[in-house]
Amino acid sequence: METAQRRSPVHVAFRISVVLLILWATLPIYFTKISSGLDPSWIYVANVAGPMGLKFGEDVFFTCGPLGFLGGCIAVGANAAIYFGFFGILFGLLAWLLFEAVVRSNQCRLAGAVVSAALVCGAGSVDADYYVSYAVLLSIGLAWFGDKKRLYYSIACVLAAVLAFIKFSGCVLALSALLAFVVLRLFLDGKAGLRYLWMALSVPVLFVVGYLAYNPSVSALKDYVAAAAEISSGYNSSMSLPPPVGDLALALACLACYGGSLALVLWADRGKGLYMLAFCGAFFMAFKHGFVRADHAPVFFKGVLLWTSLFALFLDYGAWRAFFKRRKAPAFLLAVLVLLLPALPMYYLNKMPGRQDGVFKGKIRQIAGVKDKLANPLLGGGNRLPEEFLAEIGEATVAVYPAQQSIGAYNDVRMKFLPLLQSYSAYTPRLDKLNADLFGGAAAPEYVVFDLGTIDIRLALIECPLTWLEIFSHYAAVDMRDGYLLLKKTDRPFEKDFRRISSATCRITDPIAVPKSDNVVAMQIDLELNGLGKLFKLFYQVPPVFYMRIDYAGGATLSGRVIPDNLASPT
């Protein structure tokens, strides 16, 4: 990357103002309060795990890691100090990277910088893992075009390793871009590109060293990675909800624009086209994250704007003008695709509620709310247990099943959190067993506050069969009030000595007759995706067709969604 030629003070000031605008638009403000609900409950546990001495990979397992609270910080323990320290360093690093790209180099045209800032502003507030990912991909862009390639690429590698402690899927996104960079530099530079391979391999090394410094247990490290991988993989088949057809069509149009513009840029300028190709993994991960569930589409469209803003920052518009003169029809198509790539996400995001505030008013409102969240981390009106429950529990330990963990913040009880923070994330028998071992082990809580609440119309007692079997075996109901059932550990657990009484092979639509018996009968169903199902799981989602209807002898029926992998456990 060439150093900036001599520019007028006004020109430099304008470029600095662009940097400041991007920094303002991406300013990380992720403070929140303890509250009731599905997401607030896991956010609460992610924040109190550290102060309580709980270790991710040993005591706690979820989609986030030890630094996951940074994406929704509650002012408990040293969390606020860690938050300000982490994002203070990252903000300063991002400011330096943007200054290098926008002010100091000739690679970035002023028009490109302005377009890039507009796209970042259009994306609005993004999750913490996307904020770090933006810094990773910006570093990769500087490594591609800059003269300090190793320095910039090293920064990207370090940030990718940090992402593994915030959100494991964010680390995968960053790694996809880092490895694509290696492959493409090998293609361009030959063996000289191997130095980047060794640098990329530092990401897992840094992660391992960092985790062992956090928790010196190799078995916990293995469990942390294994659980994170299973949660990410199981999410595709267990959490899928079909999005509105219009949203999916808009997303596919964005991907088509990326693919078409990539092909044309490769034709016009191979070096710049290969740079765009390095982002293919980031686009794919954003699509997967945004469209496994219908309610996550904004994640994809914000990602498209962020990644596209980095194209605008580095592409050579002078080369495009020359391409226009030589190839008018392809150049016209390229111009249309390049305009549509950010225009489609802008159209979608501008329809969202709250967008009328814009980047300035919205950010000011966020900043204004920080002081109150620091001073008063507990939001009023939370889940208060019935007084009769609290009198019964007394000083004994209690767990909440299946999801409302923030009950612990609103009641003076000795909480035992579920190892897998919320049961809906137990997408596989191995994940289900994490919670089952709690209720069947020596450290089991004395009481369980139980409710039948589930997501996506799931069958509550079949959602996590191993966990439910342990609760059924070791606990008995002692009270029921306000929609909650209070269970107490019994001295005489149910003996789970199952033996096979029948088996059959059938199609997924065939009825299964449960044999009559005077004893408890459990079933196990082994389901396997066909070839088309595996392709859908890899590139999109498994259609949510796994519904079970139960017909009782008395004529009653019950239907709901099940987790396909977990049906292999005794249910």
Side-chain angles (χ1 to χ4, degrees), residues 84 115 140:
F84 284 119
V115 171
I140 288 175

Side-chain angles (χ1 to χ4, degrees), residues 461-499:
L461 304 184
I462 299 179
E463 178 181 48
C464 301
L466 292 178
T467 302
W468 170 243
L469 186 60
E470 292 298 337
I471 293 175
F472 172 77
S473 302
H474 293 88
Y475 291 83
V478 293
D479 203 349
M480 183 174 69
R481 299 175 190 272
D482 300 343
Y484 294 110
L485 190 65
L486 183 62
L487 309 177
K488 185 177 181 180
K489 195 170 176 26
T490 65
D491 295 328
R492 294 187 296 175
F494 167 75
E495 294 295 332
K496 304 181 290 295
D497 185 18
F498 292 112
R499 59 182 178 85

Side-chain angles (χ1 to χ4, degrees), residues 157-171:
C157 290
V158 172
L159 291 177
V162 171
L163 268 170
F165 295 93
I166 298 175
K167 193 171 184 179
F168 205 80
S169 60
C171 178

Side-chain angles (χ1 to χ4, degrees), residues 380-444:
N383 287 337
R384 179 75 180 166
L385 292 176
E387 292 299 327
E388 293 82 357
F389 279 23
L390 296 174
E392 170 71 27
I393 295 168
E395 296 297 317
T397 55
V398 60
V400 176
Y401 187 86
Q404 300 293 337
Q405 304 302 308
S406 61
I407 281 177
Y410 291 96
N411 298 272
D412 186 16
V413 292
R414 293 175 58 203
M415 281 285 294
K416 270 189 174 290
F417 295 117
L418 304 180
L420 190 68
L421 301 186
Q422 294 175 316
S423 67
Y424 73 84
S425 295
Y427 308 133
T428 66
R430 182 184 180 281
L431 295 173
D432 185 13
K433 190 174 184 298
L434 292 173
N435 286 344
D437 288 345
L438 170 68
F439 294 109

Side-chain angles (χ1 to χ4, degrees), residues 198-266:
W198 304 122
M199 295 169 71
L201 292 176
S202 70
V203 175
V205 173
L206 288 172
F207 164 68
V208 169
V209 171
Y211 184 88
L212 293 177
Y214 159 75
N215 182 23
S217 168
V218 175
S219 62
L221 169 64
K222 292 178 180 177
D223 290 342
Y224 178 84
V225 174
E230 287 203 26
I231 289 172
S232 298
S233 175
Y235 183 87
N236 290 340
S237 57
S238 302
M239 293 289 283
S240 58
L241 281 179
V245 175
D247 292 357
L248 180 58
L250 206 62
L252 293 176
C254 286
L255 294 178
C257 288
Y258 168 65
S261 59
L262 170 61
L264 290 169
V265 172
L266 277 168

